[in-house]
Structures are given as C-alpha cells and as structure tokens.
Amino acid sequence: MGAITWRRQLSVGQPAIDDDHKHLIEYLNELDAALAAPRFQPVRVAKILIKLLEYTKEHFAREERIMQIVHYPKFDEHVAMHRAAVQKVSELSNQFSNEPTHENAEKLYKFTADWLVRHIILTDTQLTPYVRGVWA
C-alpha cells in the first residue's frame, strides 16, 4: 500500500492541528507496516487501530474547539464530515473485530488513509486563514 509522507500541502498552519495530523499519519503508517508484514498479526493490527481511533477522537475534538474559537463559518459542515468518518470507521472496525482478516484490515486502512489525506487537503486547509497563529 505504501506509507504516507507528510508534505507541505497537508499543513493547515496551526501547530496543534498539524501535529495531530502528523500523529494520525504515523498511526496509519504503523498499520500499513503491520499489513505488509510477512505474517499477519490481527492482535498487532487491533492495538494500532485502538490507538488510531482514540487519537482521532481527541484530534476531532481539538480541531472542533479551535474552529469554535475562530468562529469558522463552515463549522457545522466540517463537524458533520468528522461524524460521518467516525461512523464509517466504526463500522469497518466492527467488521474487523468480528472477522479479523487481512482483507478487513486493508479495507479499514484504505478508507482511513484515503479519507484523512483527502480531508486534510480539501477541507482542513480551508481553516488556514482562520487558524494561523491560534494556539489551543
């Protein structure tokens, strides 16, 4: 599948948000490495998924607080995207929990990696003019 590399296009320009995104990418890269390992280890994958999901919830809460502080005009729309992603990841996680196969783990990785990169580039970067210099 291939590791995700942090690049300038992913920067929102707000340190807390950018650091969160870097951590999420690290977890996704850990998951990618676990999926590429010679022997599939469902327990290893599950541990990474737990860290990824917990951190995602923390990140969304932090990002949403920052959006409220700066009175981001697309707040409701942005939060709805977060909720939809959490719902989809929860469904895929449940599918993996019920059937811990390499295929189900790959589905979860692919959705999450694609969603995160696309969301950062297309949606989160719209926050830039509002959040530059705001610390939270």
Side-chain angles (χ1 to χ4, degrees):
M1 286 176 268
I4 301 168
T5 304
W6 179 261
R7 52 197 186 275
R8 190 183 48 76
Q9 300 97 306
L10 296 174
S11 178
V12 173
Q14 201 288 328
I17 294 173
D18 287 342
D19 287 347
D20 278 358
H21 289 164
K22 289 174 186 175
H23 287 299
L24 290 168
I25 288 169
E26 286 174 20
Y27 291 137
L28 284 168
N29 287 339
E30 279 184 47
L31 182 55
D32 179 59
L35 292 170
R39 193 174 123 255
F40 179 64
Q41 299 174 44
V43 173
R44 178 181 174 198
V45 169
K47 287 178 181 178
I48 296 166
L49 287 175
I50 289 167
K51 290 191 300 184
L52 175 64
L53 294 172
E54 287 176 359
Y55 200 85
T56 298
K57 290 176 187 174
E58 291 172 23
H59 164 63
F60 285 168
R62 192 168 13 260
E63 188 174 273
E64 290 166 11
R65 274 195 311 274
I66 291 170
M67 286 189 288
Q68 287 176 317
I69 290 167
V70 300
H71 305 289
Y72 183 59
K74 296 181 182 177
F75 176 79
D76 291 336
E77 178 184 329
H78 200 121
V79 169
M81 289 179 194
H82 287 172
R83 299 296 172 265
V86 167
Q87 177 64 35
K88 180 66 175 175
V89 169
S90 293
E91 290 170 14
L92 291 168
S93 294
N94 288 337
Q95 190 176 0
F96 176 77
S97 292
N98 293 330
E99 224 180 308
T101 64
H102 192 276
E103 181 183 352
N104 284 336
E106 276 185 349
K107 285 180 193 174
L108 186 49
Y109 171 83
K110 182 159 178 33
F111 171 80
T112 307
D114 289 348
W115 186 91
L116 180 65
V117 171
R118 193 175 317 115
H119 181 76
I120 292 171
I121 291 172
L122 298 177
T123 306
D124 284 348
T125 55
Q126 292 179 29
L127 296 168
T128 300
Y130 299 90
V131 299
R132 274 200 194 275
V134 173
W135 292 86

Short mmCIF file of all heavy atoms in Angstrom, two decimals, residues 82-95 108 111:
data_model
loop_
_atom_site.label_atom_id
_atom_site.label_comp_id
_atom_site.label_asym_id
_atom_site.label_seq_id
_atom_site.Cartn_x
_atom_site.Cartn_y
_atom_site.Cartn_z
N HIS A 82 -16.67 14.96 10.06
CA HIS A 82 -16.00 14.19 11.11
C HIS A 82 -16.90 13.06 11.61
O HIS A 82 -16.45 11.92 11.75
CB HIS A 82 -15.62 15.09 12.29
CG HIS A 82 -14.48 16.01 12.02
ND1 HIS A 82 -14.12 17.00 12.92
CD2 HIS A 82 -13.62 16.12 10.99
CE1 HIS A 82 -13.08 17.66 12.45
NE2 HIS A 82 -12.75 17.15 11.27
N ARG A 83 -18.16 13.39 11.88
CA ARG A 83 -19.10 12.38 12.41
C ARG A 83 -19.30 11.24 11.40
O ARG A 83 -19.36 10.07 11.79
CB ARG A 83 -20.44 13.01 12.76
CG ARG A 83 -20.40 14.09 13.81
CD ARG A 83 -19.94 13.57 15.18
NE ARG A 83 -19.74 14.67 16.12
CZ ARG A 83 -18.56 15.26 16.35
NH1 ARG A 83 -17.47 14.88 15.72
NH2 ARG A 83 -18.46 16.24 17.23
N ALA A 84 -19.42 11.59 10.13
CA ALA A 84 -19.61 10.56 9.09
C ALA A 84 -18.38 9.65 9.01
O ALA A 84 -18.52 8.43 8.86
CB ALA A 84 -19.89 11.22 7.74
N ALA A 85 -17.20 10.23 9.12
CA ALA A 85 -15.97 9.43 9.08
C ALA A 85 -15.89 8.50 10.29
O ALA A 85 -15.55 7.32 10.15
CB ALA A 85 -14.75 10.33 9.02
N VAL A 86 -16.22 9.02 11.46
CA VAL A 86 -16.19 8.20 12.68
C VAL A 86 -17.18 7.03 12.53
O VAL A 86 -16.87 5.89 12.88
CB VAL A 86 -16.51 9.05 13.94
CG1 VAL A 86 -16.81 8.17 15.14
CG2 VAL A 86 -15.36 10.00 14.23
N GLN A 87 -18.35 7.31 11.99
CA GLN A 87 -19.36 6.27 11.78
C GLN A 87 -18.83 5.17 10.85
O GLN A 87 -18.94 3.98 11.14
CB GLN A 87 -20.64 6.89 11.22
CG GLN A 87 -21.73 5.89 10.90
CD GLN A 87 -22.26 5.16 12.12
OE1 GLN A 87 -22.34 5.73 13.20
NE2 GLN A 87 -22.59 3.90 11.97
N LYS A 88 -18.24 5.57 9.73
CA LYS A 88 -17.73 4.61 8.75
C LYS A 88 -16.57 3.80 9.35
O LYS A 88 -16.52 2.58 9.19
CB LYS A 88 -17.30 5.33 7.47
CG LYS A 88 -16.75 4.43 6.40
CD LYS A 88 -17.81 3.51 5.85
CE LYS A 88 -17.26 2.70 4.69
NZ LYS A 88 -18.21 1.71 4.19
N VAL A 89 -15.65 4.48 10.04
CA VAL A 89 -14.52 3.78 10.65
C VAL A 89 -15.01 2.82 11.74
O VAL A 89 -14.50 1.71 11.87
CB VAL A 89 -13.48 4.78 11.20
CG1 VAL A 89 -12.45 4.09 12.07
CG2 VAL A 89 -12.80 5.51 10.05
N SER A 90 -16.04 3.22 12.48
CA SER A 90 -16.62 2.32 13.49
C SER A 90 -17.20 1.07 12.85
O SER A 90 -17.00 -0.04 13.34
CB SER A 90 -17.71 3.04 14.29
OG SER A 90 -17.14 4.06 15.07
N GLU A 91 -17.90 1.26 11.74
CA GLU A 91 -18.47 0.10 11.01
C GLU A 91 -17.36 -0.84 10.54
O GLU A 91 -17.44 -2.06 10.72
CB GLU A 91 -19.28 0.58 9.80
CG GLU A 91 -20.57 1.28 10.14
CD GLU A 91 -21.21 1.95 8.92
OE1 GLU A 91 -20.80 1.66 7.77
OE2 GLU A 91 -22.12 2.78 9.13
N LEU A 92 -16.31 -0.26 9.94
CA LEU A 92 -15.21 -1.08 9.44
C LEU A 92 -14.45 -1.74 10.58
O LEU A 92 -14.00 -2.88 10.46
CB LEU A 92 -14.27 -0.24 8.58
CG LEU A 92 -14.85 0.24 7.24
CD1 LEU A 92 -13.95 1.29 6.60
CD2 LEU A 92 -15.07 -0.94 6.30
N SER A 93 -14.32 -1.04 11.71
CA SER A 93 -13.65 -1.61 12.89
C SER A 93 -14.45 -2.78 13.44
O SER A 93 -13.88 -3.81 13.82
CB SER A 93 -13.48 -0.56 13.98
OG SER A 93 -12.59 0.44 13.56
N ASN A 94 -15.75 -2.62 13.50
CA ASN A 94 -16.61 -3.72 13.96
C ASN A 94 -16.50 -4.92 13.04
O ASN A 94 -16.47 -6.06 13.50
CB ASN A 94 -18.07 -3.26 14.08
CG ASN A 94 -18.27 -2.32 15.25
OD1 ASN A 94 -17.51 -2.32 16.21
ND2 ASN A 94 -19.31 -1.49 15.17
N GLN A 95 -16.45 -4.63 11.75
CA GLN A 95 -16.29 -5.72 10.78
C GLN A 95 -14.97 -6.45 11.03
O GLN A 95 -14.93 -7.68 11.02
CB GLN A 95 -16.33 -5.12 9.36
CG GLN A 95 -16.42 -6.13 8.26
CD GLN A 95 -16.54 -5.45 6.89
OE1 GLN A 95 -16.55 -4.22 6.76
NE2 GLN A 95 -16.62 -6.25 5.85
N LEU A 108 -10.17 -1.14 6.14
CA LEU A 108 -10.13 -0.08 7.15
C LEU A 108 -8.98 0.88 6.89
O LEU A 108 -9.15 2.10 6.92
CB LEU A 108 -10.00 -0.72 8.53
CG LEU A 108 -10.09 0.16 9.75
CD1 LEU A 108 -11.29 1.08 9.70
CD2 LEU A 108 -10.15 -0.70 11.00
N PHE A 111 -9.74 3.00 3.59
CA PHE A 111 -10.73 4.06 3.81
C PHE A 111 -10.12 5.19 4.64
O PHE A 111 -10.23 6.37 4.29
CB PHE A 111 -11.99 3.54 4.50
CG PHE A 111 -12.90 4.67 4.92
CD1 PHE A 111 -13.73 5.26 3.98
CD2 PHE A 111 -12.87 5.16 6.21
CE1 PHE A 111 -14.53 6.34 4.34
CE2 PHE A 111 -13.67 6.24 6.58
CZ PHE A 111 -14.50 6.84 5.65
#
